[in-house]
Amino acid sequence: MKLSSFKFFTSIRVRNYEVDWQGIVHNVNYLLYLEVGRIEYIKNLGIRIDAHSICGDAKFVIVKNEITYRYSARYGQLLKVYTRISRINNSSFIFEGLIVDAVKGFIIAENRAHHVWLNKRNNRPVRVPEHIRKAWKKFEKRSPRETG
């Protein structure tokens, strides 16, 4: 993943309760930072999201989450969480994320999270809606791989 391929980021400062006994951010917190990035990215696309659904009638869930840790973050460190949707299939899509030191610019962690779009009432996979696809294409202003 190249940092230059990301158009969106949100900032997070490491808090004291996220640091473990070794003085570094506990590994589970990186997944929380990446989730913040995904939610902020969706909101940035102009898509309504609440605690139960997206646009009132659907939801998406993570079915596979891959993370590569390169460096440890520490208390007080300012991080930039870069996020993008790199691919949309029929009912699934892939978020990619990078956690970067905001001052020195080095990559701390990389993430690829596979999601499936679900009908809120029956939890069955459904096609990613056209308005989501259009918002994504408009924001990214490129032609990422898309199938279905």
Side-chain angles (χ1 to χ4, degrees), residues 16-123:
N16 64 325
Y17 58 85
E18 297 166 334
V19 177
D20 66 15
W21 63 272
Q22 297 178 87
I24 59 176
V25 171
H26 189 275
N27 59 47
V28 73
N29 289 305
Y30 297 94
L31 295 173
L32 296 173
Y33 301 158
L34 292 158
E35 177 70 8
V36 168
R38 289 190 291 267
I39 296 300
E40 293 303 318
Y41 178 91
I42 290 291
K43 292 184 337 190
N44 183 69
L45 292 182
I47 298 166
R48 187 171 54 85
I49 187 169
D50 64 38
H52 306 288
S53 65
I54 298 170
C55 304
D57 62 351
K59 62 182 179 179
F60 59 85
V61 295
I62 296 177
V63 295
K64 183 178 182 182
N65 208 355
E66 303 166 336
I67 189 165
T68 302
Y69 302 98
R70 292 187 176 188
Y71 293 97
S72 298
R74 300 188 176 278
Y75 170 74
Q77 188 173 11
L78 183 60
L79 308 174
K80 288 184 178 179
V81 180
Y82 288 85
T83 307
R84 72 182 183 142
I85 294 175
S86 62
R87 183 179 183 139
I88 295 180
N89 297 317
N90 185 39
S91 63
S92 66
F93 57 101
I94 299 172
F95 267 110
E96 291 180 336
L98 294 173
I99 299 174
V100 176
D101 178 278
V103 175
K104 297 182 180 173
F106 60 88
I107 296 172
I108 294 171
E110 298 179 35
N111 175 247
R112 182 169 280 117
H114 301 251
H115 292 72
V116 173
W117 200 272
L118 299 176
N119 178 294
K120 185 173 109 173
R121 291 178 267 309
N122 63 17
N123 287 323

